[in-house]
Amino acid sequence: MRSYQEMTKEELLQEKEQLEAEYKKYQLRGLKLDMSRGKPSKEQLDISMGMMDVLNSHVDLTCEDGTDCRNYGVLDGIQEAKVLIGDMIECNPENIIIYGNSSLNIMYDTVARSMTHGVMGSTPWCKLDKVKFLCPVPGYDRHFAITEHFGIEMINVPMLSTGPDMDIVEKLVAEDDAIKGIWCVPKYSNPQGITYSDETVRRFARLKPAAKDFRIYWDNAYGVHHLYDIDQDHLIEILSECKRAGNPDMVYKFCSTSKISFPGSGVAAIAASANNLEDIKKQLKVQTIGYDKVNQLRHVRFFKDIHGMTEHMKKHAEILRPKFEMILNLFDTELAGRGVGDWFKPKGGYFICYETLEGCAKEVVSKAKKAGVVMTPAGAPFPYGKDPKDSVIRIAPSYPSLEDLELAANIFVVCVKLVSIEKLLAE
Amino acid sequence: MRSYQEMTKEELLQEKEQLEAEYKKYQLRGLKLDMSRGKPSKEQLDISMGMMDVLNSHVDLTCEDGTDCRNYGVLDGIQEAKVLIGDMIECNPENIIIYGNSSLNIMYDTVARSMTHGVMGSTPWCKLDKVKFLCPVPGYDRHFAITEHFGIEMINVPMLSTGPDMDIVEKLVAEDDAIKGIWCVPKYSNPQGITYSDETVRRFARLKPAAKDFRIYWDNAYGVHHLYDIDQDHLIEILSECKRAGNPDMVYKFCSTSKISFPGSGVAAIAASANNLEDIKKQLKVQTIGYDKVNQLRHVRFFKDIHGMTEHMKKHAEILRPKFEMILNLFDTELAGRGVGDWFKPKGGYFICYETLEGCAKEVVSKAKKAGVVMTPAGAPFPYGKDPKDSVIRIAPSYPSLEDLELAANIFVVCVKLVSIEKLLAE
């Protein structure tokens, strides 16, 4: 396919005219399509409805150690839930605390606690002049919202195809003791779908941070969210790797079942070293009497074990895979070789990330909106909502039906082409 | 009945001998009884088992406004849950945010947010030299644990039969702008079972605090937890009263269904003015995507409305009432007029509070323990665990069976008498 850069001005104008006609046609249809948020579709939610049946008034709600899940007690989660989550994130049950419904809330609480109480005895961050976090970009907007909320300065670190640029990460954390953390989505990353390479994880585990209270915020949000059964990415388990590297306390690992069972009604967890857990529990026992054990039990009874969860995830994959493949095929056919941008081909997770020519992302999102397609706002995957190159667009294929998604993706393609030509013509 | 104070030394020694023999007999039985925590009994939990049936795979989990409760969305709770909780705590649904499973967690979050972000634009408390809270005593140990955790200085305020001593409260909050809050359990208070009088509530609403960011932490934990259907205490609704008094923003009201449905698996909520809710939501939207809407829906579908909840609470009352009455009758028969202490007769809530002669509480609790009866540690209902008079003992009648409770209460009575006599003999 010839790239737009190889075309003459006349050819570009002709192409533009055609695209504008196509765009107009879409506009006239008054569509309302949404590719903005990583929400499972109704079809995906339906596959978890059995979860509503495993507990009923004829079922004993006692867990294996005899605890009545209906009453107060058990601060850090029932044992069988720890085992299930442990298998899910490849950690020992004893390194896990099961929380409520939201891993984001755990991350928030973790930063909030560090602000008021420090980390394992360090000075509370609110007493320091400056606290900084490294933010691999593009990344997850809600991570950046937490650090922004606490007035923590965010420093962009570029994402490579192997994960964050570790040369930069190593240098910065070694130099600056104001850097207290780094936000990571290490597997099927949000938004690019990148899985950190073995080397990247090993270099993470071997970091030599100037700040003793530096922690890696390892948000393993998509750990079991594969699109394929065999062709899966593999991520090295970070807690074990940190332990081997002599940095056992350097990482917090977060996860939830939000995109496994029901978003907002699942269970979330943190995994960390014994020292970190002890530090966390000092706060936790003041914060709450305990989380919802009945819901923990419901999850265990529904999935039974990690094999049950794996089989369940295949059902999600069957629904998601055609959506991802449709978009990636369309991009291959329509955009590859055009010189109008790049993208990764994720093997899991919830997003496809399209990188436009510099300075085009906002305009593409705006044009798509005017044709009835809502996208995540350009800039959202960056701290303070500022994409320095204005080129990253996050595409969330999960929520719309395949039919709607195909329409939306085609409109997106037209918008990308149009805005790219406009840019090239203006140069 | 003759009081011990009226007895001769010889009579006391004779009484002591009898009591010691009785105590020994109990000791030999190797009992294990627990009156320490305000946990519902198994029998009480059983009455909520229908909650496990209202949602199943054949039921639509969509709420009235069309929201699919199984997916992300709705930060502050589904409307029908706000209506139910609003009816429960006599507030407008629009003044309510539904949280997760724990009102304690909401209170913790409220203090934590004030520490890092202040209250409606005030200086974050962590930037102040000194922050103080008023603590009506005896009170709830977990309240005091929160303020202690954040290094907030706690000032005891005596509880009267009408609620906190308002002369002291009014004076202190008017004088000292470091006083930022007061912990209240205004109805069937923990541990005394006192309901604040109309005058007390009106004086609360009319406080003139020196600190603009002073808030009343109104933990309405036992709002619908009556022991009787007609003979109920009535508490004036504080939000409306504050509004009438021109102090609409001065109060946070907390509640949960923990002792209505399942402890730890219920729903919790805050009620406050529009200004306060706006302030809270600035944080909330960063902290989480939303709480467990499926569980909110489960509660609404189970209780249906406030009448359903009222009928449900009657079932709890039927189980709790004989326990409270047995203890209060025993105290009337065995302890009234003996000059060995005082107690209130609560019409609801979860506790009976026994006030021993000065300096006897620890010894009574210790003696009970040696006879196999676990009580809440003496001192627990006070900041820093320090009861200045060493006289308050919290009794939690809910968890044991009536049979076990009767045994435990009889042992407690023997311990109170013995320790009181020992004190009188030593004088």
Side-chain angles (χ1 to χ4, degrees), chain A residues 46 53 57 117 149 265 292, chain B residues 46 53 57 70 117 149 265 292:
Chain A
D46 286 344
D53 296 328
S57 60
H117 289 79
H149 178 72
S265 301
D292 185 345
Chain B
D46 286 343
D53 295 330
S57 60
R70 303 171 303 173
H117 288 81
H149 178 73
S265 300
D292 186 344

Side-chain angles (χ1 to χ4, degrees), chain A residues 1 12 36-37 57-58 64 99 143 149 158 163 182 204 208 235 263 311 368 409 418 421:
Chain A
M1 191 178 293
L12 282 180
S36 73
R37 274 280 157 198
S57 60
H58 305 290
E64 284 160 18
Y99 278 69
H143 286 164
H149 178 72
I182 180 168
F204 259 112
K208 293 180 178 50
L235 175 73
E311 292 300 306
L418 260 178
I421 290 177

Side-chain angles (χ1 to χ4, degrees), chain B residues 308-382:
Chain B
M309 189 182 277
T310 305
E311 292 299 306
H312 185 79
M313 290 314 292
K314 285 185 189 169
K315 297 180 194 167
H316 281 296
E318 274 159 36
I319 300 168
L320 287 168
R321 197 167 48 238
K323 297 181 179 180
F324 275 78
E325 287 181 347
M326 181 274 293
I327 291 186
L328 292 169
N329 288 338
L330 184 73
F331 285 5
D332 268 347
T333 319
E334 294 294 323
L335 299 175
R338 283 274 186 216
V340 294
D342 272 310
W343 60 94
F344 290 93
K345 294 185 175 177
K347 293 182 193 160
Y350 264 69
F351 304 103
I352 294 167
C353 185
Y354 190 85
E355 206 172 325
T356 67
L357 300 179
E358 243 185 273
C360 291
K362 270 190 194 159
E363 184 55 24
V364 169
V365 169
S366 155
K367 243 192 171 56
K369 195 178 179 183
K370 286 175 201 154
V373 179
V374 178
M375 319 272 311
T376 311
F382 290 80

Side-chain angles (χ1 to χ4, degrees), chain A residues 47-281:
Chain A
I47 67 176
S48 298
M49 280 306 281
M51 182 162 286
M52 295 292 99
D53 296 328
V54 289
L55 302 187
N56 62 56
S57 60
H58 305 290
V59 165
D60 187 3
L61 304 190
T62 307
C63 53
E64 284 160 18
D65 71 357
T67 302
D68 189 338
C69 289
R70 305 171 300 172
N71 218 332
Y72 289 119
V74 188
L75 183 62
D76 56 358
I78 64 174
Q79 180 62 20
E80 47 262 64
K82 287 187 187 178
V83 169
L84 177 65
I85 297 293
D87 281 340
M88 175 177 128
I89 61 169
E90 302 164 83
C91 288
N92 288 326
E94 61 262 37
N95 289 116
I96 290 172
I97 297 174
I98 313 275
Y99 278 69
N101 69 324
S102 159
S103 59
L104 190 74
N105 201 336
I106 309 180
M107 296 177 230
Y108 178 97
D109 281 3
T110 305
V111 174
R113 181 180 61 250
S114 307
M115 292 300 294
T116 54
H117 289 79
V119 178
M120 282 173 53
S122 78
T123 306
W125 296 354
C126 70
K127 304 284 182 202
L128 301 174
D129 289 336
K130 197 80 186 165
V131 176
K132 303 175 189 171
F133 258 57
L134 300 184
C135 300
V137 289
Y140 180 33
D141 53 354
R142 290 188 187 268
H143 286 164
F144 305 149
I146 290 175
T147 24
E148 185 174 0
H149 178 72
F150 285 102
I152 293 171
E153 187 184 318
M154 293 181 276
I155 301 168
N156 291 1
V157 174
M159 279 289 286
L160 311 176
S161 63
T162 50
D165 186 328
M166 291 309 292
D167 291 345
I168 297 178
V169 172
E170 285 165 354
K171 186 168 173 292
L172 289 175
V173 302
E175 277 173 6
D176 187 353
D177 70 357
I179 296 175
K180 303 297 187 188
I182 180 168
W183 288 118
C184 296
V185 184
K187 194 163 180 182
Y188 306 134
S189 71
N190 178 350
Q192 292 163 301
I194 289 170
T195 298
Y196 293 9
S197 71
D198 293 0
E199 183 190 323
T200 297
V201 180
R202 295 214 169 90
R203 289 173 74 178
F204 259 112
R206 286 157 183 79
L207 285 177
K208 293 180 178 50
K212 279 217 169 80
D213 50 354
F214 171 86
R215 293 290 180 274
I216 303 164
Y217 284 64
W218 197 257
D219 181 2
N220 201 19
Y222 308 105
V224 296
H225 302 61
H226 312 286
L227 291 174
Y228 302 93
D229 183 32
I230 298 293
D231 189 17
Q232 297 178 356
D233 286 353
H234 181 257
L235 175 73
I236 291 188
E237 203 291 301
I238 186 75
L239 256 80
S240 322
E241 194 59 28
C242 281
K243 213 169 163 186
R244 278 191 283 266
N247 281 323
D249 300 329
M250 201 170 56
V251 62
Y252 301 125
K253 187 168 169 178
F254 307 93
C255 69
S256 86
T257 68
S258 272
K259 295 187 185 82
I260 300 174
S261 58
F262 295 137
S265 301
V267 295
I270 194 170
S273 69
N275 286 334
N276 278 316
L277 292 189
E278 193 192 326
D279 193 45
I280 293 168
K281 283 183 194 168

